[in-house]
Every structure is written in structure tokens, then in C-alpha cells.
Amino acid sequence: MVIEGVPEKMLAAQVVEFNKPYKIDTVPTPTSLSEHDLLLKVKVASLCHTDGMVSAGIMGTKLPCTASHEGCGEVVALGSSVKEFNVGDRVMAGLPMHRCGHCPDCLGPDELKHYCPNLKGHVGVTIDGAFAEYMVVDGREGSKIPDGVSYATAAPMACAGITIWGGLVRAGLKAGETVALVGAGGGLGHLGCQFARAMGLQVVGIDARDEGLELAKSSGAQVVIDARLGKEKAVEEVKKVTNGMGVDSTVTISDAPDAAALGCAITKMHGTMIQIAQPPEISIPFDELIFRDIRVHGSLISSRNEAQRMLDFVAEHNITVKTNAFFGLKEIPHLVELAHSGKMAGKGVIIVDEDEISRVKQRRGINSWLNNLEQWYLALAQTNVAQKISVNLSSDT
């Protein structure tokens, strides 16, 4: 199938061997679309913790597979049955691909549809993903990106955003109640802090890195606790700000071995701990579950409708993503190196499209100019104040 304006070859970063670096090479551009599919010209793609699990062979991926399940772009071609999108639309890719449509999850409540056990796979996990110039996504799972939300913001929302959003929704809290985020200063955590605050919740952010603690605080957490102080100290600090009760619910994002146990310990009796992190094993002391009646609820991304609600919420409340941007697919090794260093604050993104690279660099230039102008204005104002003080002192003498 030849699609006008789409090249036969494209650049992509693929997992070709487990536990080895991505291979960045030219591959055939996907042009075979099913009736519900969209072909996106990828604008921005981002790196997620799960990408490391894919590279390690944990997710059962058949190789080769183009990496990244956090992508967005512009529609350049449509399957024959697609009605909700048009060529030129800005779309955030959904992860599920080709749900069966007839299993109990597909026929059940909206919040369970993405659990379909018969789907073809997940984009960037078991099916080619967004670290490429073009990608195929299921049009029934994609979401329109609202005006005012940039591609660099939308890409991390495809997994990090919708995962923490789904966790907060499942926590079922009301405005004024308190949520704790264990791992509050990471890619998901800093989005969770902003979402929770905009929902009217009180936020306790817990992290074990200086960079994470700083990011959690700047993202809206009213109370920030260093997990390195230990479980007992963390519980003590939480009880100080919750009238001795503990938080109403906790969302555990960190995959540290003791993170789930900490998440339960800081949660009030009969409260809920939402488990998002995916460590090899989850260990929780029996007394948390039995004697304190802590309920543990697993949470995996969310539905297409929730994804659209999340993007609209991002636009309405000006939710921002702390990004570490790299320009072009060939820069992926440097992004991975930064991510593995443990020093990255926020999300690492790849600006894939040349036009988008130019726009981002232009915006950066404008922002730099505005920042310099602001600094000049502040310096001038301070000089004028100093001169006025000097004149006043001279008059007094």
C-alpha cells in the first residue's frame, strides 16, 4: 500500500536483542493499515520505565520491535472505518491495539475495557512503537490533543500521565482529602502531584532522591518526606499532618523493594493503597493487610475515555511536564544514559520530527530572550530602588 507523501523507508530505534542497546537504523515505513488504524507522523516520543522492562525481555516481546509506548503525532493516513479523526489531527497514541470487542472486559464498564485479554498487543511493548518517524495506532484508542497542549507534553501523557491519572481516579478521593505519592519526584510522580492538587486534594510527596524531593515540592506537594529516613520516620511525619490518622489513600509509584510496605504503613486504617509500580515482587507485612485492613488495588493505565478526560484536564489546569529534551532519534543513547544515571528529573523526551525540532528550538530561543529581558528589568528596578534610597539618605543628612 502506497500512501502519498509517506516515504518507503524511515529511521527507527528498535530492540533487536534483549539486554543490548537499541539499534537505530532505516526500516520499512508501516503502510498496511487495518480498518480502524491511524498512521501517525511521530512528532515526539518519550522514554518510560517499562521500556527498560521490554529491553530486558520481561514483557515477552517478539523481536525486532520498535521501542517507546509514549508517542504522539499528526495523522497522515486513516483506515477505512475511522470516523473520529481526520488527516492533520494531532493525536496521542493509545497503548492497546485491536481489542476483541466481545470479552467481559470489552463489554463491561469503561474503566475495564483496556484489560481485554485478547487484544493484539500494546504499542511499543509487543507491537512497534513511537521511536520512529511513523507509527501505526488503533484509532479507537487514540485521543485528540487539545489546543494549547504541546506534543512534548502530550507524549509522556500516553503512559506516565494516564497511569498516574488512573491511579488517582481509582483512589476515589474527594476534594479536601489527602493522598500520598510514594515516588512523587519521578516522571509519573510529578504529574500526580499536579493532578492531585488540581483535583483539590492535599498531597504528601515521598521520594528517596534529592532531585525527586525538589521536583515533588515544585510540582505542588504540600508536604515532602525523604524516604531515606526510614519507614518509622516517614510514618511519624505523615501522622503529624493527618491528625495521627495517616493519609486517606496512597499511590505507590516507586518500584523500590520496600515501597509497597511503606505505602500501606502511611495509609489510614481501612484506607486504600493503589499499586502502580511493577517490581518483580511486592512485599507487604501481614499486619497492614489484616490488622489495619489496608486494601491494595492494582492499576494499569486507563481507558480511552479517561485518557481524553485527562488531556482535557491537562489543558484546563495547565499541567506541565518536566522534560529533558533530546533532538532526533539518533540522540536516544544519550537519553538512555541520562535515565540510567539516576539524576534525571522528570521525563526524557525525543523530539522526532524535523519541523517540531525547529519549533521547539525557536520557542526555547524566545523563552531565553524573555528570561534575559526579565533579568535585565529586575536588575534595572533594583538599581532604581538603590538610587532612590541613596537620594533619600542624602536628603536626610
Side-chain angles (χ1 to χ4, degrees), residues 70 106 154 160 259 293 314:
E70 294 183 337
C106 285
D293 188 31
V314 168

Side-chain angles (χ1 to χ4, degrees), residues 164-232:
I164 189 62
W165 173 272
L168 289 169
V169 168
R170 289 177 177 89
L173 299 180
K174 302 184 294 293
E177 292 185 310
T178 303
V179 67
L181 303 177
V182 178
L188 280 75
H190 86 291
L191 295 175
C193 290
Q194 296 177 72
F195 283 149
R197 287 298 304 277
M199 292 173 178
L201 301 176
Q202 303 298 308
V203 180
V204 175
I206 300 176
D207 209 280
R209 298 177 303 130
D210 292 338
E211 297 88 353
L213 293 166
E214 182 178 342
L215 183 56
K217 186 174 183 178
S218 66
S219 298
Q222 293 110 315
V223 178
V224 176
I225 299 172
D226 190 339
R228 292 170 294 191
L229 297 174
K231 175 180 169 182
E232 290 185 5

Side-chain angles (χ1 to χ4, degrees), residues 99-123:
R99 290 185 291 108
C100 71
H102 55 73
C103 70
D105 285 326
C106 285
L107 298 175
D110 176 70
E111 64 268 20
L112 300 180
K113 294 185 185 301
H114 59 288
Y115 281 97
C116 171
N118 306 313
L119 47 72
K120 181 180 178 181
H122 291 93
V123 169

Side-chain angles (χ1 to χ4, degrees), residues 182 206 227 230-232 234-235 250 252 258-267 283 285:
V182 178
I206 300 176
K231 175 180 169 182
E232 290 185 5
V235 172
T250 298
T252 301
D258 57 352
L262 175 59
C264 290
I266 62 174
T267 304
S283 178

Side-chain angles (χ1 to χ4, degrees), residues 46-337:
S46 52
L47 189 71
C48 178
H49 175 75
T50 307
D51 289 312
M53 299 172 71
V54 173
S55 293
I58 296 171
M59 307 304 288
T61 308
K62 293 182 180 180
L63 304 182
C65 183
T66 301
S68 180
H69 52 280
E70 294 183 337
C72 60
E74 180 182 330
V75 178
V76 294
L78 305 163
S80 59
S81 296
V82 175
K83 305 298 182 186
E84 295 185 51
F85 297 99
N86 296 300
V87 170
D89 282 348
R90 302 165 68 240
V91 172
M92 182 187 78
L95 272 69
M97 197 76 172
H98 300 172
R99 290 185 291 108
C100 71
H102 55 73
C103 70
D105 285 326
C106 285
L107 298 175
D110 176 70
E111 64 268 20
L112 300 180
K113 294 185 185 301
H114 59 288
Y115 281 97
C116 171
N118 306 313
L119 47 72
K120 181 180 178 181
H122 291 93
V123 169
V125 179
T126 55
I127 294 174
D128 286 337
F131 276 165
E133 293 177 293
Y134 293 86
M135 69 182 297
V136 176
V137 301
D138 191 329
R140 296 164 298 183
E141 308 296 341
S143 304
K144 289 185 178 180
I145 302 172
D147 293 340
V149 176
S150 70
Y151 284 120
T153 294
M157 294 294 170
C159 179
I162 194 57
T163 297
I164 189 62
W165 173 272
L168 289 169
V169 168
R170 289 177 177 89
L173 299 180
K174 302 184 294 293
E177 292 185 310
T178 303
V179 67
L181 303 177
V182 178
L188 280 75
H190 86 291
L191 295 175
C193 290
Q194 296 177 72
F195 283 149
R197 287 298 304 277
M199 292 173 178
L201 301 176
Q202 303 298 308
V203 180
V204 175
I206 300 176
D207 209 280
R209 298 177 303 130
D210 292 338
E211 297 88 353
L213 293 166
E214 182 178 342
L215 183 56
K217 186 174 183 178
S218 66
S219 298
Q222 293 110 315
V223 178
V224 176
I225 299 172
D226 190 339
R228 292 170 294 191
L229 297 174
K231 175 180 169 182
E232 290 185 5
K233 183 63 175 177
V235 172
E236 178 185 332
E237 293 300 314
V238 167
K239 286 187 174 181
K240 283 181 182 178
V241 298
T242 57
N243 294 320
M245 299 290 291
V247 298
D248 295 293
S249 184
T250 298
V251 182
T252 301
I253 309 158
S254 169
D255 62 356
D258 57 352
L262 175 59
C264 290
I266 62 174
T267 304
K268 72 179 184 180
M269 189 174 289
H270 314 300
T272 302
M273 189 276 278
I274 307 295
Q275 179 70 26
I276 284 177
Q278 302 171 11
E281 295 182 355
I282 297 171
S283 178
I284 301 170
F286 73 88
D287 55 325
E288 300 291 354
L289 299 176
I290 298 172
F291 294 113
R292 299 188 61 245
D293 188 31
I294 302 300
R295 296 94 188 273
V296 177
H297 188 162
S299 181
L300 174 71
I301 57 173
S302 204
S303 69
R304 187 264 186 94
N305 288 333
E306 281 294 346
Q308 190 64 62
R309 280 192 281 270
M310 175 201 66
L311 283 175
D312 293 340
F313 190 89
V314 168
E316 180 183 356
H317 295 278
N318 194 31
I319 305 297
T320 60
V321 183
K322 170 68 175 175
T323 58
N324 302 265
F326 292 78
F327 298 103
L329 291 166
K330 292 183 178 180
E331 291 297 306
I332 288 175
H334 296 116
L335 168 56
V336 173
E337 181 181 2

